[in-house]
Structure formats: C-alpha cells, structure tokens
C-alpha cells in the first residue's frame, strides 16, 4: 500500500485531499495549527459560507449557493466555524495527524521514495513515504525592514514584544508586553493588505487607538506610488465591513518610508517604540507609539520556506504544473509545482510566490521547452472569481486552483442510475501527463475491453467558484443545451459573477436565468443565421475558440437593452 505525507493542516492540504484524483494510501499529516485556529474564534471572516466552502467543504448543496441575491455584510462566517470545517475534513481523509510538528528536510532516495525529516514535541524523527504533498500556505512572514533603501532588517526579537507580527497579534492568547492593559494603548500598524485591516479592526475591538496606519511607497516606475488610495487598495476587499474600516481610518492612513525603529526606555513610565519616516517630499516624520504591529504579507524565497526543506537534487527535478486544459481561462496559469511523476506536489497559496522559484528556473510539466515565466501568474485565477473571493492567498483562490489541478468534478454517480457500455479504443488518444506514459497513436494495452460507466449523476456544484470545465460538464450532463449554448452560458456565468457590482457573485436563481437566456439567444441566432455553425467554426480557426463566444458575451452585457434586461434579474453588468 502506498504511503503519503501531507505537510500542512490548512485549507490547501484539505482541498488537495478532498479532490485528489489518485490513490494516496496511508496518509499522515504534519504541521501546526493553521491561521484560522489561531485567530479569535469570533473573528468575522468577511465572506459568507458559499464563497468559503467552494465545491469541497461543508455538508452538501445547502452550503454551495445563494437562494436569493447575495448581499455583502450578511451571514459572514466566523473563524471558529471555518476552522472546524477544515479540521473535520482533514481528519476524514487522514489516517494520522501529528500536531505541532515541523519538517526540516525532504530528500528523494535511490528507490524513488522520499525521506522526510521532522521535529515533533521534543524529538526529531525520520519517515519514508511514496508521496509528499506540501501545502504549507503562503510562506514565512516577510521580515520587518527599514532604512533609506528599505533593506535594513529590524531585530524584532530585541524589541521585547513591543514590535509584533500581525498573525501573532491576532492570536487569541496575545497580551501586551509586561502584562499591560491594551485599552487606550497607541498603536501603529504597518501594511496595506487585508491582514493589516484585520489588525486595525481587532485593535479597535481591544480598545486600542490606531494612531498611524502606514504602508511603504510603490516602485519608482509606479505613478501611484505615493497615492494612499492605491497603496491601501488590497486592504479593502468588497464588503460592508471593509467599507466601514476604510472610512473609519481614512484620516489615519499614510504612505511613508520607514527608516528607523527603536525601543526607547524612559526614566519614568513604560518603554515605547520610536518610529522614523520619510514622506513624499523627503521630510522627516516621527511617531512614538506603545506598540508596532507589522503585517507585510508572506512569501517563499530561495532561502526561506519550502525551498529550505528540499534537497538541492530534488529541486532540480521539479516542474511547473499549469492549466493545461484551460479549465480556468483561455490563458493557462500556474497551478502547482512538483516532480514530473506527481509523487511530490507543492500546492495552494505557496504559488502566490511560485514556491520561491524564479520564472526561468522551472520547465513546464510535459513541455520541457517552455519555462515558468511563460505562464500567467497564479494570481490571475482571481480574475474568474467574484470580487469578494479574490485575495491572492485566500481560500477561494486555493480551492479553485487545486480543483483545476486535480480535474475535480463536483458530482457522484446517482444511486441506481443508468450504466452505459463502452469499448476502450485500440490506440491511445490522450497526451501524456508524466514519465512512462505513451504518446497518442500507440497501441493501447487495454484496447478492446468492454467497460461500464455511469451516465446519471448527483451534482453538488457551487456556481460562483466552479471553473469553466466544471460548469460545462454540469450543463452537458444536466441540460439538453446545444454545445454552443452551453459554452455561452458558462462564459456568461463567469463574466457576470466577476463584475465589481456583484460583490459576492450570483444567486442560484440568477444562474438559472442566465442558462435559460443563453439557450433562447442561441436558438434565435440559429433562426436568423442558418449557417451559424460554419460561422463559429471559421472564427474558431482564424481568431481562436474563445473569440466568437466572447463577442456574444460582450454584446449581451453592454447593449443598453440587455443591460436593462439583466437589471430586472438584479444582475449588474
């Protein structure tokens, strides 16, 4: 029986196990508590259940969609509820979980198995396995840097707790240094991300005064590098709660270059943090606060995070996995990094920093002449999701990428459903996806065998997070739409759910209206143009397979009459 070690206990690990398209055998999970087990259990995550359960988590169809038009600010999940869902799913799939464990090294042995070294409790251990899935999240926190050039790393450990990272600050057990009462304390927050916004909100809930919320300027080539609205844009994903935080702290947000951080100890009173900045005009700015919280994001690098675990020889065997089937969009994006045979895979939000690899370091899986730099970025997956589901290192992004990687279809054969016979082809037809697999056109060793497959399925689909392939398969199996009508319906669903005004996506009745509209529109086109199929075929050949359907989507969502039509369904274009 094969054995598998999963490194990570969060949504990336859970999503991979729930969608895996291979037999993983005995599964052992290593890692510490994920973020949502560390923050305040009553923390409101800023998104409702359907956007946080995707197609993989939860108890069934009731968790998958909105029965009425979704409204921001309603029914946001609590961190405790999401953490319970993840833990429950992880325990369902895993045979053993080793808590508070930390992996220090991974090597591939001569027998092609893996040697995994890890610490747990007070001991060091070694295990061998057939598969390794690395799902450790977005990576180590970026260091707190200062100085005129932004390259001087601040010794946070020497600040006696008066300078603290965002995740540590949000942990339920965090306390002020020396046991001081946090109420009334003056706080500076460094960061322009959603995590920084959570820090600000939590500080207010603890009775603290956020007197300075700052972020660094952008690059020299960025015309908005000193513009506060642009630099803090990522801190406020759509949602009523985020709008409130944005408005409440508008006068406390600044774009400043941090040049110095000092812990000062006056003769009387408690220590405080002295901050030195440069503003846009190069003028010196000073602030004195009781606490500095920095939330600068996370990333894997050449020397820190995942690459620090991997043996150098193993790193040279890795390739980039991408959206080969164009499930997400017409431009294939990065989905994962792993060995060519898929026995070691790095998945999830680690892809936001390419697991620490550079664009020229890795070739593509099954395509050794292309490099990682030729792919669209992992972040581009977000363009196909509702606005509230777009944080690059967020939950919906992780699930969307892993579902595409594993070709996951949210359906199962219906009990007592019909079965159809088919005979396996005499020659192979699929392109190889790993070493040892034959190219198409060779004799199929399984050719001529009679097999059975189900043709009736029970679906558990989330219309707001499913990719194009999942939606297309659903329509092909559950409706009698013509292929072009089905493709148009898929394109319309993805287009309309991503509009800025449709913050949380679409309701199930709205999706039903889109499907019906696509069907009737194509029927009308066919009556007006009996040569429609030939026209589409010519456009596909000359301009690409997405061109003609894209033209139809553009007309159906920009023509004033159609805009008014969608408005009647409470869908914004």
């Amino acid at each position: 029986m094969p054995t598998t070690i999963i490194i990570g206990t969060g949504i990336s690990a859970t999503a991979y196990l729930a969608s895996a398209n291979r037999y993983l055998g005995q599964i052992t999970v290593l890692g510490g508590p994920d973020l949502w087990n560390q923050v305040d259990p009553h923390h409101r995550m800023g998104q409702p259940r359907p956007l946080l359960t995707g197609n993989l988590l939860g108890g069934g169809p009731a968790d998958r969609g909105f029965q009425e038009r979704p409204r921001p600010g309603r029914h946001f999940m609590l961190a405790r509820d999401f953490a319970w869902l993840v833990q429950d799913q992880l325990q369902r799939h895993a045979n053993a979980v080793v808590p508070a464990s930390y992996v220090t090294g991974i090597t591939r042995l001569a027998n092609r198995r893996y040697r995994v070294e890890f610490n747990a409790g007070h001991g060091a251990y070694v295990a061998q396995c057939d598969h390794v899935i690395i799902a450790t999240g977005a990576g180590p926190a970026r260091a707190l840097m200062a100085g005129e050039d932004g390259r001087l790393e601040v010794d946070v450990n020497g600040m006696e707790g008066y300078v603290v990272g965002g995740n540590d600050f949000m942990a339920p057990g965090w306390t002020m240094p020396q046991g001081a009462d946090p109420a009334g304390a003056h706080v500076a927050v460094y960061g322009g991300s959603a995590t920084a916004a959570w820090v600000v909100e939590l500080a207010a809930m603890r009775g603290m005064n956020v007197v300075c919320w700052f972020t660094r300027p952008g690059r020299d080539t960025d015309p908005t590098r000193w513009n506060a609205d642009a630099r803090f844009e990522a801190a406020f994903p759509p949602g009523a709660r985020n709008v409130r935080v944005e408005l409440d702290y508008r006068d406390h947000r600044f774009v400043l270059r941090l040049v110095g951080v000092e812990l000062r100890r006056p003769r009387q009173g408690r220590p405080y943090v002295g901050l030195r900045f440069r503003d846009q005009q190069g003028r010196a700015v000073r602030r004195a606060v009781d606490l500095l919280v920095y939330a600068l994001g996370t990333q894997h690098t050449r020397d820190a995070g995942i690459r620090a675990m991997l043996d150098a020889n193993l790193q040279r065997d890795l390739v980039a996995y991408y959206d080969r089937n164009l499930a997400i969009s017409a431009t294939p994006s990065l989905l994962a990094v792993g060995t060519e045979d898929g026995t070691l895979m790095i998945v999830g939000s680690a892809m936001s920093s390419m697991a620490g690899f550079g664009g020229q370091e890795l070739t593509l899986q099954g395509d050794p002449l292309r490099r990682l730099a030729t792919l669209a970025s992992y972040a581009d997956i977000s363009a196909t999701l509702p606005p509230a589901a777009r944080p690059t290192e967020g939950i919906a992004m992780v699930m969307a990428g892993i579902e595409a990687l594993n070709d996951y279809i949210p359906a199962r054969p219906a009990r007592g459903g019909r079965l159809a016979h088919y005979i396996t082809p005499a020659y192979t037809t699929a392109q190889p996806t790993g070493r040892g697999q034959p190219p198409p056109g060779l004799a199929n060793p399984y050719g001529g065998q009679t097999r059975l497959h189900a043709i009736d399925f029970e679906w558990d689909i989330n219309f707001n997070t499913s990719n194009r392939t999942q939606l297309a398969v659903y329509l092909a199996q559950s409706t009698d739409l013509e292929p072009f009508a089905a493709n148009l319906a898929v394109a319309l669903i993805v287009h309309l759910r991503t509009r800025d005004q449709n913050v949380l996506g679409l309701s199930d009745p709205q999706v039903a209206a889109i499907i019906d509209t696509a069907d009737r529109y194509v029927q009308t086109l066919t009556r007006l143009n009996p040569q429609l199929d030939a026209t589409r075929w010519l456009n596909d050949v000359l301009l690409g397979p997405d061109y003609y359907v894209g033209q139809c989507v553009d007309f159906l969502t920009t023509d004033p009459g159609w805009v008014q039509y969608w408005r009647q369904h409470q869908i914004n274009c």
Side-chain angles (χ1 to χ4, degrees), residues 90-426:
L90 196 63
Q91 290 171 355
R92 286 173 185 264
H93 291 95
N95 299 97
V97 177
V98 182
S101 50
Y102 178 77
V103 174
T104 57
I106 304 173
T107 307
R108 195 161 200 183
L109 305 173
N111 62 4
R112 309 306 289 168
R113 301 189 84 210
Y114 293 94
R115 171 188 167 96
V116 178
E117 303 170 28
F118 64 96
N119 295 326
H122 299 290
Y125 303 88
V126 174
Q128 289 191 23
C129 60
D130 301 289
H131 305 273
V132 176
I133 311 301
I134 302 174
T136 52
R142 287 188 173 96
L144 175 60
M145 310 295 283
E148 293 290 349
D149 57 2
R151 296 182 180 178
L152 176 64
E153 184 169 349
V154 176
D155 179 17
V156 173
N157 292 330
M159 295 293 174
E160 301 178 13
Y162 290 91
V163 177
V164 61
N167 287 352
D168 292 333
F169 177 79
M170 290 191 295
W174 176 84
T175 58
M176 281 284 287
Q178 300 184 16
D181 185 355
H186 286 197
V187 180
V189 177
Y190 184 10
S193 67
T195 303
W198 294 344
V199 167
V200 169
E201 184 180 40
L202 181 57
M205 292 170 61
R206 289 173 172 165
M208 308 170 90
N209 296 318
V210 178
V211 296
C212 179
W213 181 5
F214 67 96
T215 192
R216 59 187 178 275
R219 296 179 179 177
D220 293 343
T221 56
D222 184 356
T224 63
R225 61 192 302 256
W226 289 96
N227 182 283
D229 289 336
R231 296 297 295 153
F232 282 94
E233 183 178 5
F236 308 111
R241 162 184 166 231
N242 299 319
V243 170
R244 187 185 71 250
V245 174
E246 181 179 17
L247 292 176
D248 288 349
Y249 291 91
R250 178 171 292 278
D251 294 336
H252 298 274
R253 291 197 301 275
F254 309 95
V255 179
L256 296 167
R257 189 187 303 280
L258 180 66
V259 297
V261 181
E262 299 175 84
L263 179 62
R264 298 181 178 177
R265 300 177 177 83
R267 292 182 179 179
Q268 295 182 340
R270 295 181 181 276
Y272 66 91
V273 180
L275 302 175
R276 293 183 290 113
F277 306 98
R278 295 285 181 187
D279 65 11
Q280 184 174 1
Q281 287 73 38
R283 297 173 298 199
V285 178
R286 295 178 181 272
R287 291 282 191 277
V289 294
D290 299 305
L291 186 76
L292 169 64
V293 185
Y294 64 98
L296 304 179
T298 55
Q299 68 176 348
H300 295 276
T301 68
R302 178 182 290 274
D303 303 313
I306 287 172
R307 292 190 68 169
M309 298 180 195
L310 302 177
D311 172 77
N313 291 328
L314 180 54
Q315 290 188 38
R316 286 192 285 270
D317 287 341
L318 299 180
V319 295
Y321 282 72
Y322 65 105
D323 189 14
R324 293 166 63 105
N325 300 323
L326 305 183
I328 295 171
S329 68
T331 305
S333 57
L334 173 68
L335 298 179
V337 169
T339 55
E340 187 80 51
D341 61 8
T343 55
L344 181 144
M345 297 295 293
I346 305 167
V347 300
S349 54
M351 293 304 102
S352 60
S353 55
M354 299 183 292
F357 289 92
Q360 295 299 323
E361 288 186 87
L362 301 180
T363 60
L364 305 191
Q365 183 250 348
D367 194 349
L369 298 181
R370 292 176 60 197
R371 294 278 172 176
L372 174 57
T374 65
L375 297 178
S377 72
Y378 171 79
D380 284 3
I381 297 172
S382 67
T384 70
L385 297 171
R390 288 182 187 168
T392 304
E393 298 161 4
I395 295 159
M397 276 279 297
V398 165
M399 288 193 283
I402 290 177
E403 287 178 19
L405 173 71
N406 286 336
D407 299 317
Y408 177 73
I409 300 296
R412 62 181 182 274
R415 291 183 179 179
R418 295 169 296 165
L419 298 174
H421 291 79
Y422 78 100
I423 299 175
T424 54

Side-chain angles (χ1 to χ4, degrees), residues 31-48:
D34 75 316
L35 170 64
W36 303 111
N37 276 291
Q38 298 180 58
V39 303
D40 187 329
H42 296 92
H43 174 77
R44 294 173 66 85
M45 297 177 66
Q47 293 169 317

